[in-house]
Amino acid sequence: MPAPDKQLSAEQSRQVADQIREEIARRRISRQALAEQAKLSLSTLEKVLGGRRPFTLATTVRLEQALGVSLRKTPDAPAPAAFNGNGDVAPDGLGAYSRRAVAWIEGTYVTVRPSFGDKDAIFAYRTEISWDNAASSLVFHESERQDAAFTQFGEVAVPNQSGHIYLVTNRHGQHRLITVARLAISGEMYGIITTLLAGRGSLLTPIAAPIAYLPIKMVANPTFGRVSADDPNYAQYRQHLRRTTDEPFAMFLPG
């Protein structure tokens, strides 16, 4: 007979529930969407979040995979600012970088790319890149997206061979990849996003487009969502998108 699934303590369950509610609010996703991503029933998610049922280890792991964050805290873990002799090191598959070596990438960015639904508009949202102690790597989280259901989060790879940065989303084998180069002094990042365009019904079409990450301090009053030509930030956003291909940081070859 299979061993029963381990249950978290009441205190652990409360901490996990609090963190999940915080993630749901920050990413502006519904509980239904999270339940589907974690392959759980909405009823199960509602019960554990409401304290009517303790979290099990299996349920917690599924939610961690769906959210891309660690929900189980280790009470004796060192403080985030503490470094050992070699520094915290990311897995080899992400570039085996130390935390100290990539601290300059951490921050909040205004992210801009062409709107997939309006050829004359720009789509803008917020991206935060930070160190995750549990994952021992940089991670990114998007927010302020008009299409909140498509909010992305994942790992950041920084291999020293190419000099580029990769923001990778992998959800149950479905990938989205962003490849960017970063300016060392001013901090902007320019490159290419490759993802899937949602069409009618279940139709998904591969699509690639230029993308730019602007340190949020560069934009006095950032605009998020679908930005049209009459918006005060439109010209600045458009200038950065054009810079991606004009310099070029990325190339799009004709078929």
Side-chain angles (χ1 to χ4, degrees), residues 20-34 37 67 124-126 142-153 224-225:
I20 291 173
R21 284 192 288 269
E22 181 180 336
E23 292 289 336
I24 288 174
R26 184 167 59 82
R27 302 180 191 195
R28 298 183 180 181
I29 60 175
S30 67
R31 292 187 177 188
Q32 177 68 56
L34 176 57
Q37 291 177 18
L67 291 169
Y125 49 91
R126 183 192 303 264
E142 298 174 352
S143 61
E144 304 289 345
R145 284 189 61 143
Q146 189 178 50
D147 55 348
F150 296 95
T151 297
Q152 303 285 323
F153 48 90
F224 299 111

PDB file of all heavy atoms in Angstrom, residues 20-34 37 67 124-126 142-153 224-225:
ATOM      1  N   ILE A  20       0.519  32.025  -0.514  1.00  0.00           N
ATOM      2  CA  ILE A  20      -0.241  31.797  -1.750  1.00  0.00           C
ATOM      3  C   ILE A  20      -1.196  32.950  -2.004  1.00  0.00           C
ATOM      4  O   ILE A  20      -1.322  33.443  -3.137  1.00  0.00           O
ATOM      5  CB  ILE A  20      -0.996  30.457  -1.676  1.00  0.00           C
ATOM      6  CG1 ILE A  20      -0.012  29.290  -1.712  1.00  0.00           C
ATOM      7  CG2 ILE A  20      -1.988  30.335  -2.833  1.00  0.00           C
ATOM      8  CD1 ILE A  20      -0.661  27.948  -1.470  1.00  0.00           C
ATOM      9  N   ARG A  21      -1.903  33.398  -0.957  1.00  0.00           N
ATOM     10  CA  ARG A  21      -2.820  34.529  -1.133  1.00  0.00           C
ATOM     11  C   ARG A  21      -2.073  35.777  -1.583  1.00  0.00           C
ATOM     12  O   ARG A  21      -2.561  36.550  -2.417  1.00  0.00           O
ATOM     13  CB  ARG A  21      -3.580  34.789   0.170  1.00  0.00           C
ATOM     14  CG  ARG A  21      -4.707  33.787   0.436  1.00  0.00           C
ATOM     15  CD  ARG A  21      -5.607  34.266   1.565  1.00  0.00           C
ATOM     16  NE  ARG A  21      -4.942  34.166   2.854  1.00  0.00           N
ATOM     17  CZ  ARG A  21      -5.011  33.107   3.654  1.00  0.00           C
ATOM     18  NH1 ARG A  21      -5.748  32.064   3.295  1.00  0.00           N
ATOM     19  NH2 ARG A  21      -4.387  33.096   4.818  1.00  0.00           N
ATOM     20  N   GLU A  22      -0.852  35.965  -1.059  1.00  0.00           N
ATOM     21  CA  GLU A  22      -0.038  37.110  -1.461  1.00  0.00           C
ATOM     22  C   GLU A  22       0.359  36.997  -2.937  1.00  0.00           C
ATOM     23  O   GLU A  22       0.305  37.991  -3.681  1.00  0.00           O
ATOM     24  CB  GLU A  22       1.211  37.189  -0.587  1.00  0.00           C
ATOM     25  CG  GLU A  22       2.122  38.364  -0.906  1.00  0.00           C
ATOM     26  CD  GLU A  22       3.348  38.403  -0.010  1.00  0.00           C
ATOM     27  OE1 GLU A  22       3.289  37.841   1.103  1.00  0.00           O
ATOM     28  OE2 GLU A  22       4.368  38.983  -0.437  1.00  0.00           O
ATOM     29  N   GLU A  23       0.756  35.798  -3.367  1.00  0.00           N
ATOM     30  CA  GLU A  23       1.136  35.590  -4.760  1.00  0.00           C
ATOM     31  C   GLU A  23      -0.058  35.807  -5.694  1.00  0.00           C
ATOM     32  O   GLU A  23       0.071  36.407  -6.761  1.00  0.00           O
ATOM     33  CB  GLU A  23       1.704  34.182  -4.957  1.00  0.00           C
ATOM     34  CG  GLU A  23       3.033  33.933  -4.279  1.00  0.00           C
ATOM     35  CD  GLU A  23       4.175  34.678  -4.946  1.00  0.00           C
ATOM     36  OE1 GLU A  23       4.052  35.008  -6.140  1.00  0.00           O
ATOM     37  OE2 GLU A  23       5.183  34.946  -4.268  1.00  0.00           O
ATOM     38  N   ILE A  24      -1.230  35.323  -5.290  1.00  0.00           N
ATOM     39  CA  ILE A  24      -2.444  35.501  -6.104  1.00  0.00           C
ATOM     40  C   ILE A  24      -2.757  36.983  -6.268  1.00  0.00           C
ATOM     41  O   ILE A  24      -3.074  37.460  -7.370  1.00  0.00           O
ATOM     42  CB  ILE A  24      -3.627  34.750  -5.464  1.00  0.00           C
ATOM     43  CG1 ILE A  24      -3.457  33.237  -5.624  1.00  0.00           C
ATOM     44  CG2 ILE A  24      -4.952  35.196  -6.079  1.00  0.00           C
ATOM     45  CD1 ILE A  24      -4.509  32.423  -4.899  1.00  0.00           C
ATOM     46  N   ALA A  25      -2.665  37.736  -5.165  1.00  0.00           N
ATOM     47  CA  ALA A  25      -2.976  39.164  -5.219  1.00  0.00           C
ATOM     48  C   ALA A  25      -1.951  39.929  -6.045  1.00  0.00           C
ATOM     49  O   ALA A  25      -2.302  40.795  -6.848  1.00  0.00           O
ATOM     50  CB  ALA A  25      -3.038  39.732  -3.805  1.00  0.00           C
ATOM     51  N   ARG A  26      -0.663  39.577  -5.861  1.00  0.00           N
ATOM     52  CA  ARG A  26       0.388  40.315  -6.566  1.00  0.00           C
ATOM     53  C   ARG A  26       0.347  40.065  -8.064  1.00  0.00           C
ATOM     54  O   ARG A  26       0.579  40.963  -8.865  1.00  0.00           O
ATOM     55  CB  ARG A  26       1.755  39.914  -5.999  1.00  0.00           C
ATOM     56  CG  ARG A  26       2.924  40.686  -6.574  1.00  0.00           C
ATOM     57  CD  ARG A  26       4.169  40.444  -5.744  1.00  0.00           C
ATOM     58  NE  ARG A  26       4.514  39.039  -5.710  1.00  0.00           N
ATOM     59  CZ  ARG A  26       5.192  38.431  -6.693  1.00  0.00           C
ATOM     60  NH1 ARG A  26       5.539  39.100  -7.762  1.00  0.00           N
ATOM     61  NH2 ARG A  26       5.491  37.157  -6.590  1.00  0.00           N
ATOM     62  N   ARG A  27       0.038  38.822  -8.442  1.00  0.00           N
ATOM     63  CA  ARG A  27       0.028  38.478  -9.869  1.00  0.00           C
ATOM     64  C   ARG A  27      -1.331  38.706 -10.519  1.00  0.00           C
ATOM     65  O   ARG A  27      -1.473  38.587 -11.733  1.00  0.00           O
ATOM     66  CB  ARG A  27       0.426  37.010 -10.042  1.00  0.00           C
ATOM     67  CG  ARG A  27       1.791  36.697  -9.457  1.00  0.00           C
ATOM     68  CD  ARG A  27       2.155  35.242  -9.646  1.00  0.00           C
ATOM     69  NE  ARG A  27       3.327  34.896  -8.855  1.00  0.00           N
ATOM     70  CZ  ARG A  27       4.031  33.798  -9.028  1.00  0.00           C
ATOM     71  NH1 ARG A  27       3.685  32.930  -9.951  1.00  0.00           N
ATOM     72  NH2 ARG A  27       5.077  33.555  -8.273  1.00  0.00           N
ATOM     73  N   ARG A  28      -2.335  39.004  -9.692  1.00  0.00           N
ATOM     74  CA  ARG A  28      -3.689  39.256 -10.189  1.00  0.00           C
ATOM     75  C   ARG A  28      -4.226  38.071 -10.984  1.00  0.00           C
ATOM     76  O   ARG A  28      -4.752  38.223 -12.087  1.00  0.00           O
ATOM     77  CB  ARG A  28      -3.731  40.536 -11.036  1.00  0.00           C
ATOM     78  CG  ARG A  28      -3.343  41.779 -10.253  1.00  0.00           C
ATOM     79  CD  ARG A  28      -3.461  43.024 -11.093  1.00  0.00           C
ATOM     80  NE  ARG A  28      -3.083  44.212 -10.343  1.00  0.00           N
ATOM     81  CZ  ARG A  28      -3.112  45.452 -10.826  1.00  0.00           C
ATOM     82  NH1 ARG A  28      -3.501  45.659 -12.071  1.00  0.00           N
ATOM     83  NH2 ARG A  28      -2.754  46.476 -10.079  1.00  0.00           N
ATOM     84  N   ILE A  29      -4.065  36.886 -10.429  1.00  0.00           N
ATOM     85  CA  ILE A  29      -4.611  35.690 -11.049  1.00  0.00           C
ATOM     86  C   ILE A  29      -5.744  35.175 -10.172  1.00  0.00           C
ATOM     87  O   ILE A  29      -5.818  35.488  -8.979  1.00  0.00           O
ATOM     88  CB  ILE A  29      -3.544  34.589 -11.235  1.00  0.00           C
ATOM     89  CG1 ILE A  29      -2.943  34.171  -9.884  1.00  0.00           C
ATOM     90  CG2 ILE A  29      -2.461  35.042 -12.194  1.00  0.00           C
ATOM     91  CD1 ILE A  29      -1.975  33.008  -9.977  1.00  0.00           C
ATOM     92  N   SER A  30      -6.633  34.412 -10.734  1.00  0.00           N
ATOM     93  CA  SER A  30      -7.751  33.864  -9.983  1.00  0.00           C
ATOM     94  C   SER A  30      -7.351  32.556  -9.312  1.00  0.00           C
ATOM     95  O   SER A  30      -6.388  31.900  -9.711  1.00  0.00           O
ATOM     96  CB  SER A  30      -8.940  33.624 -10.911  1.00  0.00           C
ATOM     97  OG  SER A  30      -8.646  32.585 -11.829  1.00  0.00           O
ATOM     98  N   ARG A  31      -8.104  32.185  -8.304  1.00  0.00           N
ATOM     99  CA  ARG A  31      -7.858  30.896  -7.652  1.00  0.00           C
ATOM    100  C   ARG A  31      -8.123  29.747  -8.625  1.00  0.00           C
ATOM    101  O   ARG A  31      -7.449  28.720  -8.577  1.00  0.00           O
ATOM    102  CB  ARG A  31      -8.729  30.761  -6.399  1.00  0.00           C
ATOM    103  CG  ARG A  31      -8.334  31.733  -5.283  1.00  0.00           C
ATOM    104  CD  ARG A  31      -9.113  31.459  -4.006  1.00  0.00           C
ATOM    105  NE  ARG A  31      -8.663  32.345  -2.933  1.00  0.00           N
ATOM    106  CZ  ARG A  31      -9.051  32.247  -1.666  1.00  0.00           C
ATOM    107  NH1 ARG A  31      -9.907  31.287  -1.316  1.00  0.00           N
ATOM    108  NH2 ARG A  31      -8.606  33.083  -0.752  1.00  0.00           N
ATOM    109  N   GLN A  32      -9.107  29.948  -9.495  1.00  0.00           N
ATOM    110  CA  GLN A  32      -9.410  28.920 -10.495  1.00  0.00           C
ATOM    111  C   GLN A  32      -8.213  28.699 -11.407  1.00  0.00           C
ATOM    112  O   GLN A  32      -7.837  27.556 -11.703  1.00  0.00           O
ATOM    113  CB  GLN A  32     -10.623  29.337 -11.315  1.00  0.00           C
ATOM    114  CG  GLN A  32     -10.995  28.360 -12.438  1.00  0.00           C
ATOM    115  CD  GLN A  32     -11.509  27.043 -11.897  1.00  0.00           C
ATOM    116  OE1 GLN A  32     -12.459  27.020 -11.133  1.00  0.00           O
ATOM    117  NE2 GLN A  32     -10.889  25.939 -12.295  1.00  0.00           N
ATOM    118  N   ALA A  33      -7.578  29.806 -11.859  1.00  0.00           N
ATOM    119  CA  ALA A  33      -6.421  29.693 -12.750  1.00  0.00           C
ATOM    120  C   ALA A  33      -5.265  28.986 -12.045  1.00  0.00           C
ATOM    121  O   ALA A  33      -4.588  28.143 -12.636  1.00  0.00           O
ATOM    122  CB  ALA A  33      -5.991  31.078 -13.229  1.00  0.00           C
ATOM    123  N   LEU A  34      -5.049  29.320 -10.761  1.00  0.00           N
ATOM    124  CA  LEU A  34      -3.969  28.674 -10.021  1.00  0.00           C
ATOM    125  C   LEU A  34      -4.256  27.188  -9.833  1.00  0.00           C
ATOM    126  O   LEU A  34      -3.357  26.350  -9.984  1.00  0.00           O
ATOM    127  CB  LEU A  34      -3.790  29.346  -8.662  1.00  0.00           C
ATOM    128  CG  LEU A  34      -2.752  28.710  -7.727  1.00  0.00           C
ATOM    129  CD1 LEU A  34      -1.379  28.655  -8.391  1.00  0.00           C
ATOM    130  CD2 LEU A  34      -2.678  29.466  -6.409  1.00  0.00           C
ATOM    131  N   GLN A  37      -3.434  25.391 -13.040  1.00  0.00           N
ATOM    132  CA  GLN A  37      -1.991  25.284 -13.278  1.00  0.00           C
ATOM    133  C   GLN A  37      -1.365  24.230 -12.371  1.00  0.00           C
ATOM    134  O   GLN A  37      -0.421  23.535 -12.765  1.00  0.00           O
ATOM    135  CB  GLN A  37      -1.316  26.639 -13.035  1.00  0.00           C
ATOM    136  CG  GLN A  37      -1.675  27.704 -14.066  1.00  0.00           C
ATOM    137  CD  GLN A  37      -1.040  29.046 -13.740  1.00  0.00           C
ATOM    138  OE1 GLN A  37      -0.089  29.128 -12.972  1.00  0.00           O
ATOM    139  NE2 GLN A  37      -1.585  30.103 -14.308  1.00  0.00           N
ATOM    140  N   LEU A  67       3.528  28.088  -9.173  1.00  0.00           N
ATOM    141  CA  LEU A  67       3.871  29.476  -8.881  1.00  0.00           C
ATOM    142  C   LEU A  67       5.339  29.792  -9.144  1.00  0.00           C
ATOM    143  O   LEU A  67       5.715  30.951  -9.277  1.00  0.00           O
ATOM    144  CB  LEU A  67       3.547  29.796  -7.417  1.00  0.00           C
ATOM    145  CG  LEU A  67       2.061  29.837  -7.052  1.00  0.00           C
ATOM    146  CD1 LEU A  67       1.887  29.897  -5.540  1.00  0.00           C
ATOM    147  CD2 LEU A  67       1.367  31.016  -7.720  1.00  0.00           C
ATOM    148  N   ALA A 124       2.841  47.076 -22.399  1.00  0.00           N
ATOM    149  CA  ALA A 124       3.794  47.359 -21.320  1.00  0.00           C
ATOM    150  C   ALA A 124       3.331  46.730 -20.016  1.00  0.00           C
ATOM    151  O   ALA A 124       2.135  46.683 -19.724  1.00  0.00           O
ATOM    152  CB  ALA A 124       3.952  48.869 -21.141  1.00  0.00           C
ATOM    153  N   TYR A 125       4.304  46.231 -19.239  1.00  0.00           N
ATOM    154  CA  TYR A 125       3.997  45.661 -17.929  1.00  0.00           C
ATOM    155  C   TYR A 125       5.249  45.737 -17.066  1.00  0.00           C
ATOM    156  O   TYR A 125       6.313  46.187 -17.513  1.00  0.00           O
ATOM    157  CB  TYR A 125       3.494  44.213 -18.055  1.00  0.00           C
ATOM    158  CG  TYR A 125       4.332  43.301 -18.917  1.00  0.00           C
ATOM    159  CD1 TYR A 125       5.356  42.536 -18.384  1.00  0.00           C
ATOM    160  CD2 TYR A 125       4.088  43.206 -20.289  1.00  0.00           C
ATOM    161  CE1 TYR A 125       6.116  41.701 -19.185  1.00  0.00           C
ATOM    162  CE2 TYR A 125       4.841  42.368 -21.097  1.00  0.00           C
ATOM    163  CZ  TYR A 125       5.859  41.618 -20.531  1.00  0.00           C
ATOM    164  OH  TYR A 125       6.612  40.791 -21.329  1.00  0.00           O
ATOM    165  N   ARG A 126       5.119  45.323 -15.830  1.00  0.00           N
ATOM    166  CA  ARG A 126       6.215  45.385 -14.867  1.00  0.00           C
ATOM    167  C   ARG A 126       6.859  43.998 -14.723  1.00  0.00           C
ATOM    168  O   ARG A 126       6.166  42.991 -14.682  1.00  0.00           O
ATOM    169  CB  ARG A 126       5.677  45.845 -13.510  1.00  0.00           C
ATOM    170  CG  ARG A 126       6.741  46.011 -12.422  1.00  0.00           C
ATOM    171  CD  ARG A 126       6.068  46.173 -11.057  1.00  0.00           C
ATOM    172  NE  ARG A 126       5.148  47.285 -11.027  1.00  0.00           N
ATOM    173  CZ  ARG A 126       5.443  48.505 -10.587  1.00  0.00           C
ATOM    174  NH1 ARG A 126       6.644  48.746 -10.115  1.00  0.00           N
ATOM    175  NH2 ARG A 126       4.543  49.461 -10.596  1.00  0.00           N
ATOM    176  N   GLU A 142       6.254  38.742 -13.494  1.00  0.00           N
ATOM    177  CA  GLU A 142       5.594  39.848 -14.183  1.00  0.00           C
ATOM    178  C   GLU A 142       4.361  40.277 -13.401  1.00  0.00           C
ATOM    179  O   GLU A 142       3.743  39.479 -12.700  1.00  0.00           O
ATOM    180  CB  GLU A 142       5.188  39.424 -15.600  1.00  0.00           C
ATOM    181  CG  GLU A 142       6.371  39.050 -16.471  1.00  0.00           C
ATOM    182  CD  GLU A 142       5.954  38.491 -17.822  1.00  0.00           C
ATOM    183  OE1 GLU A 142       4.741  38.251 -18.037  1.00  0.00           O
ATOM    184  OE2 GLU A 142       6.846  38.262 -18.663  1.00  0.00           O
ATOM    185  N   SER A 143       3.973  41.539 -13.551  1.00  0.00           N
ATOM    186  CA  SER A 143       2.757  42.057 -12.945  1.00  0.00           C
ATOM    187  C   SER A 143       2.292  43.256 -13.759  1.00  0.00           C
ATOM    188  O   SER A 143       2.952  43.656 -14.731  1.00  0.00           O
ATOM    189  CB  SER A 143       2.991  42.454 -11.480  1.00  0.00           C
ATOM    190  OG  SER A 143       3.967  43.470 -11.388  1.00  0.00           O
ATOM    191  N   GLU A 144       1.161  43.820 -13.361  1.00  0.00           N
ATOM    192  CA  GLU A 144       0.578  44.971 -14.069  1.00  0.00           C
ATOM    193  C   GLU A 144       0.276  44.643 -15.526  1.00  0.00           C
ATOM    194  O   GLU A 144       0.299  45.519 -16.389  1.00  0.00           O
ATOM    195  CB  GLU A 144       1.505  46.193 -14.003  1.00  0.00           C
ATOM    196  CG  GLU A 144       1.880  46.635 -12.608  1.00  0.00           C
ATOM    197  CD  GLU A 144       0.721  47.269 -11.845  1.00  0.00           C
ATOM    198  OE1 GLU A 144      -0.284  47.615 -12.480  1.00  0.00           O
ATOM    199  OE2 GLU A 144       0.841  47.392 -10.617  1.00  0.00           O
ATOM    200  N   ARG A 145      -0.015  43.373 -15.798  1.00  0.00           N
ATOM    201  CA  ARG A 145      -0.371  42.985 -17.163  1.00  0.00           C
ATOM    202  C   ARG A 145      -1.863  43.149 -17.373  1.00  0.00           C
ATOM    203  O   ARG A 145      -2.672  42.729 -16.541  1.00  0.00           O
ATOM    204  CB  ARG A 145       0.046  41.538 -17.445  1.00  0.00           C
ATOM    205  CG  ARG A 145       1.534  41.375 -17.674  1.00  0.00           C
ATOM    206  CD  ARG A 145       1.874  39.984 -18.161  1.00  0.00           C
ATOM    207  NE  ARG A 145       1.241  39.647 -19.417  1.00  0.00           N
ATOM    208  CZ  ARG A 145       1.806  38.928 -20.383  1.00  0.00           C
ATOM    209  NH1 ARG A 145       3.041  38.485 -20.216  1.00  0.00           N
ATOM    210  NH2 ARG A 145       1.154  38.634 -21.483  1.00  0.00           N
ATOM    211  N   GLN A 146      -2.222  43.720 -18.515  1.00  0.00           N
ATOM    212  CA  GLN A 146      -3.636  43.861 -18.840  1.00  0.00           C
ATOM    213  C   GLN A 146      -4.283  42.491 -19.012  1.00  0.00           C
ATOM    214  O   GLN A 146      -5.431  42.278 -18.629  1.00  0.00           O
ATOM    215  CB  GLN A 146      -3.780  44.696 -20.121  1.00  0.00           C
ATOM    216  CG  GLN A 146      -5.196  45.100 -20.460  1.00  0.00           C
ATOM    217  CD  GLN A 146      -5.232  45.970 -21.706  1.00  0.00           C
ATOM    218  OE1 GLN A 146      -4.655  45.635 -22.743  1.00  0.00           O
ATOM    219  NE2 GLN A 146      -5.895  47.109 -21.607  1.00  0.00           N
ATOM    220  N   ASP A 147      -3.529  41.553 -19.585  1.00  0.00           N
ATOM    221  CA  ASP A 147      -4.012  40.181 -19.735  1.00  0.00           C
ATOM    222  C   ASP A 147      -3.469  39.345 -18.579  1.00  0.00           C
ATOM    223  O   ASP A 147      -2.598  38.499 -18.752  1.00  0.00           O
ATOM    224  CB  ASP A 147      -3.594  39.600 -21.083  1.00  0.00           C
ATOM    225  CG  ASP A 147      -2.085  39.678 -21.312  1.00  0.00           C
ATOM    226  OD1 ASP A 147      -1.400  40.382 -20.541  1.00  0.00           O
ATOM    227  OD2 ASP A 147      -1.596  39.016 -22.248  1.00  0.00           O
ATOM    228  N   ALA A 148      -3.987  39.572 -17.383  1.00  0.00           N
ATOM    229  CA  ALA A 148      -3.429  38.985 -16.158  1.00  0.00           C
ATOM    230  C   ALA A 148      -3.351  37.465 -16.210  1.00  0.00           C
ATOM    231  O   ALA A 148      -2.463  36.867 -15.594  1.00  0.00           O
ATOM    232  CB  ALA A 148      -4.258  39.423 -14.955  1.00  0.00           C
ATOM    233  N   ALA A 149      -4.246  36.831 -16.956  1.00  0.00           N
ATOM    234  CA  ALA A 149      -4.244  35.369 -17.021  1.00  0.00           C
ATOM    235  C   ALA A 149      -2.972  34.826 -17.667  1.00  0.00           C
ATOM    236  O   ALA A 149      -2.622  33.660 -17.480  1.00  0.00           O
ATOM    237  CB  ALA A 149      -5.469  34.874 -17.787  1.00  0.00           C
ATOM    238  N   PHE A 150      -2.260  35.665 -18.437  1.00  0.00           N
ATOM    239  CA  PHE A 150      -1.056  35.230 -19.134  1.00  0.00           C
ATOM    240  C   PHE A 150       0.221  35.718 -18.442  1.00  0.00           C
ATOM    241  O   PHE A 150       1.297  35.687 -19.026  1.00  0.00           O
ATOM    242  CB  PHE A 150      -1.085  35.710 -20.589  1.00  0.00           C
ATOM    243  CG  PHE A 150      -2.205  35.117 -21.397  1.00  0.00           C
ATOM    244  CD1 PHE A 150      -3.401  35.800 -21.549  1.00  0.00           C
ATOM    245  CD2 PHE A 150      -2.072  33.866 -21.976  1.00  0.00           C
ATOM    246  CE1 PHE A 150      -4.446  35.249 -22.289  1.00  0.00           C
ATOM    247  CE2 PHE A 150      -3.110  33.313 -22.713  1.00  0.00           C
ATOM    248  CZ  PHE A 150      -4.303  33.998 -22.862  1.00  0.00           C
ATOM    249  N   THR A 151       0.101  36.172 -17.200  1.00  0.00           N
ATOM    250  CA  THR A 151       1.266  36.619 -16.447  1.00  0.00           C
ATOM    251  C   THR A 151       2.300  35.493 -16.349  1.00  0.00           C
ATOM    252  O   THR A 151       1.963  34.352 -16.069  1.00  0.00           O
ATOM    253  CB  THR A 151       0.847  37.055 -15.034  1.00  0.00           C
ATOM    254  OG1 THR A 151      -0.038  38.187 -15.146  1.00  0.00           O
ATOM    255  CG2 THR A 151       2.055  37.451 -14.205  1.00  0.00           C
ATOM    256  N   GLN A 152       3.569  35.839 -16.584  1.00  0.00           N
ATOM    257  CA  GLN A 152       4.633  34.845 -16.631  1.00  0.00           C
ATOM    258  C   GLN A 152       5.587  35.003 -15.448  1.00  0.00           C
ATOM    259  O   GLN A 152       5.758  36.091 -14.893  1.00  0.00           O
ATOM    260  CB  GLN A 152       5.440  34.989 -17.928  1.00  0.00           C
ATOM    261  CG  GLN A 152       4.607  34.881 -19.191  1.00  0.00           C
ATOM    262  CD  GLN A 152       4.187  33.455 -19.489  1.00  0.00           C
ATOM    263  OE1 GLN A 152       4.947  32.520 -19.263  1.00  0.00           O
ATOM    264  NE2 GLN A 152       2.980  33.286 -19.998  1.00  0.00           N
ATOM    265  N   PHE A 153       6.228  33.912 -15.078  1.00  0.00           N
ATOM    266  CA  PHE A 153       7.251  33.919 -14.048  1.00  0.00           C
ATOM    267  C   PHE A 153       8.138  32.711 -14.297  1.00  0.00           C
ATOM    268  O   PHE A 153       7.711  31.717 -14.890  1.00  0.00           O
ATOM    269  CB  PHE A 153       6.636  33.872 -12.649  1.00  0.00           C
ATOM    270  CG  PHE A 153       5.583  32.802 -12.489  1.00  0.00           C
ATOM    271  CD1 PHE A 153       5.914  31.531 -12.068  1.00  0.00           C
ATOM    272  CD2 PHE A 153       4.257  33.081 -12.788  1.00  0.00           C
ATOM    273  CE1 PHE A 153       4.949  30.550 -11.939  1.00  0.00           C
ATOM    274  CE2 PHE A 153       3.275  32.100 -12.655  1.00  0.00           C
ATOM    275  CZ  PHE A 153       3.624  30.837 -12.233  1.00  0.00           C
ATOM    276  N   PHE A 224       1.118  51.214 -17.982  1.00  0.00           N
ATOM    277  CA  PHE A 224       1.062  49.776 -18.196  1.00  0.00           C
ATOM    278  C   PHE A 224      -0.203  49.420 -18.970  1.00  0.00           C
ATOM    279  O   PHE A 224      -1.181  50.156 -18.983  1.00  0.00           O
ATOM    280  CB  PHE A 224       1.093  49.027 -16.857  1.00  0.00           C
ATOM    281  CG  PHE A 224       2.340  49.278 -16.055  1.00  0.00           C
ATOM    282  CD1 PHE A 224       2.286  50.013 -14.874  1.00  0.00           C
ATOM    283  CD2 PHE A 224       3.561  48.785 -16.478  1.00  0.00           C
ATOM    284  CE1 PHE A 224       3.443  50.247 -14.140  1.00  0.00           C
ATOM    285  CE2 PHE A 224       4.720  49.017 -15.748  1.00  0.00           C
ATOM    286  CZ  PHE A 224       4.659  49.751 -14.569  1.00  0.00           C
ATOM    287  N   GLY A 225      -0.149  48.263 -19.615  1.00  0.00           N
ATOM    288  CA  GLY A 225      -1.273  47.830 -20.436  1.00  0.00           C
ATOM    289  C   GLY A 225      -0.995  48.109 -21.904  1.00  0.00           C
ATOM    290  O   GLY A 225       0.153  48.185 -22.341  1.00  0.00           O
TER     291      GLY A 225
END
